[in-house]
Amino acid sequence: MWVCGALCRTRAPAQLGQRLLPESRRRRPASASFSASAEPSRVRALVYEHHGDPAKVVELKNLELAAVGGSDVHVKMLAAPINPSDINMIQGNYGLLPQLPAVGGNEGVGQVVAVGSGVTGVKPGDWVIPANPGLGTWRTEAVFGEEELITVPSDIPLQSAATLGVNPCTAYRMLVDFERLRPGDSIIQNASNSGVGQAVIQIAAARGLRTINVLRDRPDLQKLTDRLKNLGANHVVTEEELRKPEMKSFFKDVPQPRLALNCVGGKSSTELLRHLAPGGTMVTYGGMAKQPVIASVSQLIFKDLKLRGFWLSQWKKDHSPGGGNFGSRRLKDDKRA
């Protein structure tokens, strides 16, 4: 789901379940002229002042666009997705919560309109994405600090640019940080059709790793299976198939995975653990089933399995010189609206 330029044309409050298309499906050329001294203008944003049900607490508001200071960057948002973490943040159930009131959205891509006199890393026309969560991307325009942005190529698909900062990075770090995998090794994952799951498939294929991809049974299973295999998936099985005794024969021909990636929890994660090679690691990065991860004593003692967690925001904090820069600026309602 997407939130973006359609905000400019929307008069009624937007519903989070609604699919809003990117402002343009084509790459926009850089404007011929830009000015950092434009008068403050009205921008539209999806704002919440309290935590709760997104359908009830998120409002479409007019905000005043701040003046561009010396180290500031004026950005026009081109596209912004709606991720589960965005919903969790609005509900107040996320590991990092912005100062309220806040603009929703942690991911997206925008085009630089103007820059302050002290800005050296970006220029008008560049495409930029948030460096950290909490920036508030569900708005038409904004003024951000230069340090809050990362430039990305403007010749990649718009939707790819808008979703570049979280899912692919999560997939890469989990593939390289927990097990020393070599070409030919296997990994197993659930929620394989998620954003992270699809990124795992592609990165693993590029590194010569074999993927065993678990899906829930569904009417369009074959269509989805074909799509994942086109991305590079080696094997696609359903949750039900994973529980069958026939999987023992499957692993006679396929190396037991040394790494399992769990985004679901509950019974699904138990099955991943059951098929891990001795000494293997299961990394949990989500809990879509809202059920606990359960490991048997025998798996921990006799198979020496390791249970780990991964959160990209924490990884960034641990590996950034300044420890990350998460926060939320105060919002101003546009009194002229």
Side-chain angles (χ1 to χ4, degrees):
M1 290 181 285
W2 296 88
V3 173
C4 42
L7 290 176
C8 295
R9 302 182 292 275
T10 304
R11 293 293 179 183
Q15 298 297 316
L16 284 184
Q18 179 181 4
R19 180 180 176 86
L20 300 178
L21 296 177
E23 183 177 19
S24 171
R25 290 198 178 275
R26 299 180 181 178
R27 189 169 75 254
R28 290 176 171 266
S31 175
S33 74
F34 300 85
S35 171
S37 60
E39 290 294 324
S41 60
R42 183 181 68 180
V43 300
R44 297 174 78 75
L46 291 172
V47 179
Y48 57 103
E49 298 183 354
H50 309 282
H51 295 299
D53 181 351
K56 296 179 180 179
V57 301
V58 175
E59 298 179 281
L60 180 61
K61 289 194 172 186
N62 296 314
L63 304 179
E64 180 181 318
L65 186 66
V68 178
S71 60
D72 290 335
V73 180
H74 177 190
V75 177
K76 181 178 182 180
M77 295 304 301
L78 300 178
I82 300 175
N83 290 319
S85 59
D86 301 324
I87 303 301
N88 295 152
M89 192 172 282
I90 295 169
Q91 294 169 330
N93 299 326
Y94 199 63
L96 290 174
L97 298 176
Q99 183 181 11
L100 298 179
V103 175
N106 291 299
E107 261 196 310
V109 62
Q111 187 175 49
V112 176
V113 175
V115 300
S117 58
V119 173
T120 59
V122 297
K123 63 184 184 302
D126 283 351
W127 279 15
V128 291
I129 63 174
N132 291 296
L135 202 59
T137 56
W138 295 353
R139 58 178 114 195
T140 53
E141 298 177 61
V143 173
F144 301 120
E146 181 183 9
E147 75 283 355
E148 297 177 300
L149 303 169
I150 298 173
T151 57
V152 297
S154 60
D155 58 352
I156 61 177
L158 187 66
Q159 292 189 6
S160 297
T163 56
L164 190 62
V166 176
N167 293 334
C169 298
T170 297
Y172 178 80
R173 293 259 55 103
M174 292 194 299
L175 286 172
V176 302
D177 287 354
F178 295 94
E179 287 286 339
R180 188 171 296 179
L181 301 173
R182 297 179 175 82
D185 285 345
S186 295
I187 67 167
I188 188 169
Q189 64 168 344
N190 54 25
S192 303
N193 60 321
S194 66
V196 171
Q198 293 181 62
V200 165
I201 290 170
Q202 296 173 79
I203 297 171
R207 297 173 70 87
L209 304 174
R210 304 173 67 168
T211 55
I212 304 162
N213 302 278
V214 184
L215 299 171
R216 288 181 292 109
D217 202 1
R218 62 195 70 207
D220 62 343
L221 179 62
Q222 188 57 54
K223 182 178 179 181
L224 180 54
T225 296
D226 293 342
R227 182 159 66 86
L228 295 184
K229 288 192 172 182
N230 286 336
L231 292 178
N234 299 101
H235 308 282
V236 179
V237 299
T238 65
E239 298 273 4
E240 292 75 15
E241 290 171 335
L242 197 63
R243 298 187 182 103
K244 292 181 177 179
E246 289 80 4
M247 287 303 295
K248 290 183 178 180
S249 299
F250 174 83
F251 283 111
K252 289 180 180 179
D253 301 319
V254 177
Q256 273 194 293
R258 296 173 51 197
L259 177 68
L261 305 178
N262 169 46
C263 183
V264 179
K267 293 180 180 179
S268 179
S269 59
T270 300
E271 290 301 315
L272 296 188
L273 282 170
R274 193 163 67 88
H275 294 291
L276 263 183
T281 301
M282 184 173 78
V283 182
T284 293
Y285 67 98
M288 295 170 59
K290 297 182 179 180
Q291 295 175 354
V293 172
I294 299 175
S296 69
V297 172
S298 62
Q299 288 173 330
L300 298 177
I301 296 177
F302 302 122
K303 290 186 69 177
D304 191 26
L305 300 184
K306 299 179 285 293
L307 304 182
R308 299 289 303 275
F310 181 81
W311 183 28
L312 184 63
S313 296
Q314 187 63 48
W315 187 93
K316 286 184 176 182
K317 183 177 180 180
D318 293 341
H319 293 80
S320 298
N325 182 25
F326 177 86
S328 176
R329 61 195 67 220
R330 278 287 180 187
L331 305 179
K332 295 183 180 179
D333 287 348
D334 188 345
K335 302 302 182 182
R336 299 170 295 172

